[in-house]
């Protein structure tokens, strides 16, 4: 996908906020936003909250703070899943804050990274719901590339400090993305897991879309109703009822993912 210049409004942050300063020059040209999303979200880059967010991220760099994910992955959810191809939306809260974990898709980690506990419970529910074997890795790009928008409310985080970038502007940006889907698309499936996602998605019109709610898949709450929720089969049943190709929830093997990344 060719780079879309965000009116020079965000590009400098890629250079200033990558956790490896030696890579700053190469990062400068790598922030991208898919044209379908740019058409919906471009005005957001000129709003005051975005200037505040830019200033905050620049200050993080000056303080030597390690920020995840890499700047080139801040908009990965949008680039994997173009606006007009979204079928399902899964809302997360923060990127993972451990080294090497976050790569721009909520709940997802790259092959070779330990599968986080919440994702393990997602896999357990998939197995119970659709008899899908538990994957040997945590990379969910196969879902994203089929139309599952894996969107965190906050697109960056400080190393080892969950929630450190909440309330800095990202939530307004991702709210705008969700509102655009709600208003301009029809027949989507929104999976809202946990009170945070349900509050963020409270405005979604259940007359136009299928809204599925359950507790968060965290080990602290999964037993309260996430396990057994049947969201994956319900999503596919709804999509098929509208003549839309269902999601293939079974992930390719770790080896196949690594080969596709290498290719």
């Amino acid at each position: 996908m060719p780079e879309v210049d965000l009116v020079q409004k965000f590009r400098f942050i890629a250079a200033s906020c990558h956790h490896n300063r030696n890579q700053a020059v190469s990062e400068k040209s790598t922030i991208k936003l898919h044209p379908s999303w740019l058409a919906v979200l471009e005005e957001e880059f000129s709003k005051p909250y975005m200037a505040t967010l830019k200033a905050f991220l620049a200050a993080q760099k000056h303080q030597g703070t390690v920020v995840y994910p890499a700047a080139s992955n801040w908009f990965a959810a949008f680039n994997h899943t173009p606006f007009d191809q979204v079928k399902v939306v899964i809302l997360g809260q923060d990127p993972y804050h451990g080294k090497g974990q976050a790569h721009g898709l909520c709940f997802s980690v790259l092959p070779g990274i330990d599968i986080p506990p919440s994702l393990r419970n997602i896999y357990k529910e998939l197995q119970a719901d659709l008899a899908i074997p538990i994957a040997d890795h945590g990379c969910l790009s196969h879902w994203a590339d089929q139309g599952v928008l894996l969107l965190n409310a906050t697109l960056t985080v400080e190393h080892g400090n969950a929630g450190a970038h909440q309330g800095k502007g990202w939530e307004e940006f991702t709210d705008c993305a969700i509102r655009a889907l709600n208003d301009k698309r029809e027949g989507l499936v929104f999976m809202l897991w946990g009170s945070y996602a349900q509050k963020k998605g409270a405005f979604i019109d259940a007359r136009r879309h299928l809204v599925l709610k359950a507790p968060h898949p965290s080990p602290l709450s999964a037993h309260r109703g996430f396990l057994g929720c049947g969201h994956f089969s319900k999503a596919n049943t709804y999509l098929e009822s509208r003549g839309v190709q269902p999601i293939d929830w079974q992930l390719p093997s770790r080896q196949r993912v690594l080969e596709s990344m290498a290719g």
Side-chain angles (χ1 to χ4, degrees):
M1 182 190 69
E3 178 178 2
V4 175
D5 186 353
L6 300 182
V7 201
Q8 301 291 337
K9 292 182 181 301
F10 236 73
R11 222 186 241 176
F12 80 94
I13 303 177
S16 57
C17 293
H18 194 277
H19 62 273
N20 184 341
R21 294 184 185 180
N22 293 330
Q23 296 185 25
V25 174
S26 63
E27 283 291 316
K28 187 173 182 179
S29 63
T30 58
I31 283 190
K32 303 174 185 178
L33 184 61
H34 192 277
S36 65
W37 280 105
L38 186 67
V40 174
L41 299 173
E42 185 171 13
E43 291 184 4
E44 299 304 301
F45 292 93
S46 299
K47 292 184 177 180
Y49 81 84
M50 191 61 73
T52 301
L53 175 60
K54 288 195 302 180
F56 167 75
L57 291 170
Q60 292 278 282
K61 180 265 179 180
H62 293 314
Q63 296 164 9
T65 302
V66 177
V67 173
Y68 300 132
S72 57
N73 284 328
W74 288 354
F75 301 111
F78 301 108
N79 292 331
H80 273 277
T81 315
F83 180 80
D84 57 349
Q85 296 177 29
V86 175
K87 300 178 181 179
V88 178
V89 181
I90 298 178
L91 295 182
Q93 187 167 350
D94 270 349
Y96 294 120
H97 55 84
K99 183 178 180 180
Q101 289 184 303
H103 67 113
L105 306 178
C106 73
F107 293 106
S108 181
V109 294
L110 290 174
I113 303 296
D114 288 344
I115 300 173
S118 292
L119 183 53
R120 288 190 180 277
N121 282 331
I122 291 171
Y123 288 169
K124 288 179 183 177
E125 175 55 24
L126 266 175
Q127 186 178 48
D129 187 18
L130 292 172
I132 290 176
I134 291 177
D136 60 357
H137 63 89
C139 184
L140 305 181
S141 60
H142 177 65
W143 295 358
D145 293 338
Q146 295 179 76
V148 181
L149 182 66
L150 297 167
L151 184 64
N152 277 315
T154 305
L155 301 187
T156 57
V157 71
E158 178 183 333
H159 169 73
N161 190 3
H165 290 188
Q166 291 179 8
K168 307 299 182 181
W170 281 127
E171 293 93 338
E172 190 167 346
F173 181 77
T174 52
D175 279 352
C176 180
I178 297 166
R179 285 188 183 278
L181 290 168
N182 179 64
D183 296 344
K184 299 177 184 294
R185 296 288 312 279
E186 191 169 346
L188 304 183
V189 180
F190 289 86
M191 296 185 181
L192 308 180
W193 299 335
S195 59
Y196 183 92
Q198 290 162 22
K199 181 178 179 181
K200 187 173 180 69
F203 60 82
I204 296 167
D205 187 350
R207 297 167 299 179
R208 293 168 55 87
H209 307 284
L210 177 63
V211 180
L212 300 174
K213 299 179 182 180
H216 194 276
S218 161
L220 297 176
S221 56
H223 63 282
R224 298 176 189 159
F226 176 79
L227 297 174
C229 68
H231 281 187
F232 302 102
S233 60
K234 290 175 182 176
N236 276 356
T237 297
Y238 178 78
L239 293 173
E240 289 179 306
S241 74
R242 298 181 60 85
V244 177
Q245 181 72 24
I247 304 298
D248 174 15
W249 295 106
Q250 183 160 353
L251 296 170
S253 69
R254 178 176 183 270
Q255 184 61 35
R256 282 184 58 194
V257 174
L258 290 171
E259 289 172 356
S260 67
M261 292 172 64

